[in-house]
Amino acid sequence: MANERVRVRGLSIFRPIIYGNTATLLTREERENVPAEHTHKWTVAVRSAAPAPGSDIVGGADNLGYFLKRVSFKLHDTYPNPTRNIDKPPFEVSETGWGEFEVTIKLHFIPESGEKALTIYHHLKLHPWSLSGEPDSIPPLEVAQKAGPVHSWQYDEIVFNDPYQNFLNVLTNNPPTPLPRASTNGRTIPFHIANPASLEASKGGVPEFTTLIVKDESERLEKAKKTIIAEQEKTRAALIAKEKELEQLQKMLNG
Ligand code: SLL
């Protein structure tokens, strides 16, 4: 229908996603079948935020294929065919390796959306850094082994402004599973892996995003934003003062 290509002005609709990775140390047996220097297996993924009941992965309650056509993961150039295009869910890549690096993730939306591709970045995390004795040093193998899988996930909301009517229909026909208010298994996502205790909390279980943690995170971002604005104000004031000083000096020179 013609009016399907009409934009619904003033309306914003969002879909919650998570992106990130889980990493595990390879067992002795697993190491036999991979290049000698590979120490970890990992999965980097884009998923729906809510956990699937009884699942052993982070998030993933909903199939995101209804609005995502392709997710492309650009890995480090040390990998063969570093650009991995995934054209149907699950939108993820599993590999083995030895090092951390930045993964460029490009989200391509279904054509009905009329949206440009969206690029996000994730730093692939393999090591439980917070458990190392000194900053910036990889924790010993035994420590990593005890800590269990490393999880590094980011919650985000993809906002569609003024969506096309037909795309809006697609979205409203596929409502996202709401986040649980509290974790169903006592394990929430350790956002700030600053304290070993939170890392310990993810041991032996799959961490979950909850409405509470999302609220905490948005408050943290809000605070960070305020700090940045305050810093900008300070810099601006200093700049104005300097400009005045310059003007004075020029006047003196000329006068
Ligand atoms: C580092 N900047 O130096 C990073 C690069 C690259 C990791 C890490 C690949 C393995 C392969 C792999 O683990 N690359 O050769 O298949 O730490």
Side-chain angles (χ1 to χ4, degrees), residues 139-151:
L141 213 69
E142 315 83 70
V143 174
Q145 216 136 31
K146 266 203 206 122
V150 165
H151 289 286

Side-chain angles (χ1 to χ4, degrees), residues 35 37-38 42 76 78-80 96-101:
E37 63 280 14
H38 288 200
W42 49 259
H76 194 264
T78 45
Y79 281 93
T96 62
W98 54 264
E100 301 188 344
F101 58 92

Side-chain angles (χ1 to χ4, degrees), residues 108-127:
H108 300 265
F109 303 100
I110 57 168
E112 297 90 306
S113 70
E115 296 283 337
K116 281 192 298 227
L118 181 69
T119 303
I120 53 183
Y121 301 91
H122 172 67
H123 185 87
L124 183 81
K125 190 174 164 203
L126 302 184
H127 310 294

